[in-house]
Amino acid sequence: MKAAVLNEANDLQIMTLDKPKAGPGEIIMEVRSALTCGTDVKTFKRGHPTIPFGGNKVAFGHEGSGIVHEIGKGVEKFKVGDRIAAHNTAPCHSCYYCQVGDYSMCDDLKQMRGTWAEYVRIPAELVQETVFHLPNELSFRQAALLEPLACAVYGVDLSEIQLGDLVVVNGCGPIGLMMMKCAKLKGATTIACDFTDIRLDTAKKLGADYIVDLKKTSDQVNAVRQLTPFGRGVDVAIEATGVPEVWEKNMMMARKGGMVMEFGGCKPGTTITVDTKLLHYSQLTVKGVYHTTPKHVGMAFELIKRGEFPEDLLINDSYSLDHALDALLAHANGEVIKNEIVIS
């Protein structure tokens, strides 16, 4: 089969790989739509702690939807020909973290890798929990938003946003935009911060109440605080860039007793400095959050079915598999929110 393979950093090639086969409980999905994301960009540029380089064996990509091509022994929920949306992970339900309900921390997280290919194998654990039948009216393109949206839903849920809260989202890439819209759905007033016009325009279209154009201010923290009553700061500050400097600024934007959600994954080995006086005397709650859980995957799929996250706002251009690198580089350059790779 044809596949895009990341051999090493900055080396994505179209190659021919063996077509996968379905083991017990597994599905082989014929991929119809796959998407680019910020994690793909970071992995392409520098690698990723949980995504190994593929050599000539593993296709790239982890967001996608398609059609059931083959089912393994024991699969009853799906049949060949079914249209499906597939999340890329499911927890093991056996390790310590699963036993205490911290599913995103699972020690043996089962993963689907390789949606930038004609076919991808979906492990049995995912088939049981995080793969869904597509309604006829739902496009493959929109269904492919499942994985990033599930992460955004999880982050917003952990941020404990209340009706009427004032929330800032620092970074309006795909995840930041989705988190902003999720905050709106929870009844928050939202502030969206970014320096890229297409991202700020999309934030407006998704309902952001205030926009902070970082090209026009030298003091991001003050610009946000000036939008809050008496300059006291926001109830919830969300970081979605993966830049340590923005992690630090994010903490400076929260009011006393506020919630600080640090979502964007930074480069391994980087650090931040925390003002201990601010943390202590302002009684801040600072949370790191990673990935998502099956519960939040299900929530995300329901939001997609409701049409809360229009594909035409979040997915810009479509590329063939042969031009997957072009799709990724356009994403990396900030020219789009996300790109689609049309497989078949």
Side-chain angles (χ1 to χ4, degrees):
M1 68 172 183
K2 184 186 293 186
V5 178
L6 184 64
N7 292 300
E8 57 185 28
N10 299 297
D11 182 17
L12 184 77
Q13 298 182 18
I14 303 302
M15 305 179 71
T16 299
L17 303 182
D18 291 337
K19 180 180 172 183
K21 297 181 180 180
E26 297 179 342
I27 281 176
I28 302 301
M29 179 173 74
E30 180 184 336
V31 184
R32 291 299 179 88
S33 179
L35 303 180
T36 62
C37 81
T39 299
D40 295 331
V41 171
K42 289 188 289 187
T43 304
F44 174 75
K45 290 183 175 180
R46 66 179 189 235
H48 190 277
T50 67
I51 304 174
F53 291 128
N56 60 356
K57 297 180 180 179
V58 181
F60 197 49
H62 60 278
E63 300 177 11
S65 62
I67 294 175
V68 176
H69 177 75
E70 178 188 346
I71 59 173
K73 183 178 180 180
V75 174
E76 297 180 352
K77 293 172 62 177
F78 302 96
K79 65 182 186 301
V80 173
D82 283 349
R83 302 170 72 248
I84 57 173
H87 186 66
N88 74 322
T89 66
C92 71
H93 292 286
S94 298
C95 71
Y96 169 79
Y97 297 101
C98 286
Q99 292 301 310
V100 299
D102 286 339
Y103 297 114
S104 69
M105 296 290 98
C106 174
D107 275 333
D108 189 21
L109 200 66
K110 309 301 180 182
Q111 299 191 44
M112 171 188 72
R113 290 198 182 100
T115 56
W116 293 16
E118 292 179 299
Y119 300 93
V120 64
R121 182 181 64 86
I122 304 177
E125 292 83 1
L126 280 65
V127 173
Q128 288 297 314
E129 282 197 282
T130 55
V131 179
F132 302 88
H133 290 277
L134 292 190
N136 290 333
E137 65 274 12
L138 195 64
S139 71
F140 290 116
R141 195 171 189 243
Q142 188 157 10
L145 290 168
L146 178 62
E147 191 276 340
L149 181 55
C151 294
V153 170
Y154 182 48
V156 168
D157 197 20
L158 290 188
S159 68
E160 302 174 8
I161 294 169
Q162 303 295 314
L163 185 67
D165 275 354
L166 187 55
V167 177
V168 65
V169 177
N170 289 298
C172 293
I175 293 290
L177 289 168
M178 291 175 175
M179 293 179 112
M180 188 280 297
K181 180 60 182 291
C182 285
K184 289 288 294 182
L185 291 172
K186 295 197 73 166
T189 297
T190 56
I191 304 169
C193 300
D194 208 286
F195 56 83
T196 306
D197 290 340
I198 187 174
R199 292 179 174 184
L200 293 172
D201 289 343
T202 305
K204 292 177 185 177
K205 292 174 182 177
L206 286 171
D209 297 284
Y210 300 99
I211 295 294
V212 176
D213 187 341
L214 301 181
K215 297 189 301 299
K216 299 179 180 179
T217 180
S218 59
D219 190 340
Q220 182 177 350
V221 173
N222 183 62
V224 170
R225 282 187 165 270
Q226 289 303 307
L227 295 172
T228 69
F230 310 105
R232 68 185 176 218
V234 297
D235 301 291
V236 179
I238 296 174
E239 192 284 339
T241 68
V243 177
E245 180 185 357
V246 183
W247 276 45
E248 294 178 351
K249 289 179 179 179
N250 197 46
M251 284 185 264
M252 302 292 291
M253 296 178 189
R255 63 164 173 81
K256 293 179 182 179
M259 170 68 73
V260 178
M261 178 63 68
E262 309 285 26
F263 186 91
C266 299
K267 184 177 180 179
T270 56
T271 60
I272 61 171
T273 300
V274 178
D275 183 330
T276 55
K277 179 182 177 181
L278 174 70
L279 183 65
H280 178 72
Y281 289 100
S282 291
Q283 201 166 296
L284 297 180
T285 298
V286 181
K287 285 186 179 181
V289 61
Y290 169 70
H291 201 46
T292 191
T293 75
K295 171 187 173 182
H296 297 90
V297 175
M299 293 165 65
F301 189 61
E302 291 302 316
L303 291 173
I304 290 173
K305 290 196 297 182
R306 275 170 40 183
E308 301 287 357
F309 294 85
E311 62 182 83
D312 58 331
L313 290 183
L314 295 168
I315 306 169
N316 299 96
D317 299 319
S318 295
Y319 294 76
S320 69
L321 182 57
D322 287 331
H323 292 92
L325 179 59
D326 295 329
L328 185 62
L329 293 178
H331 186 134
N333 291 336
E335 300 170 12
V336 297
I337 305 303
K338 295 178 82 70
N339 277 328
E340 178 191 28
I341 299 169
V342 179
I343 310 297
S344 60

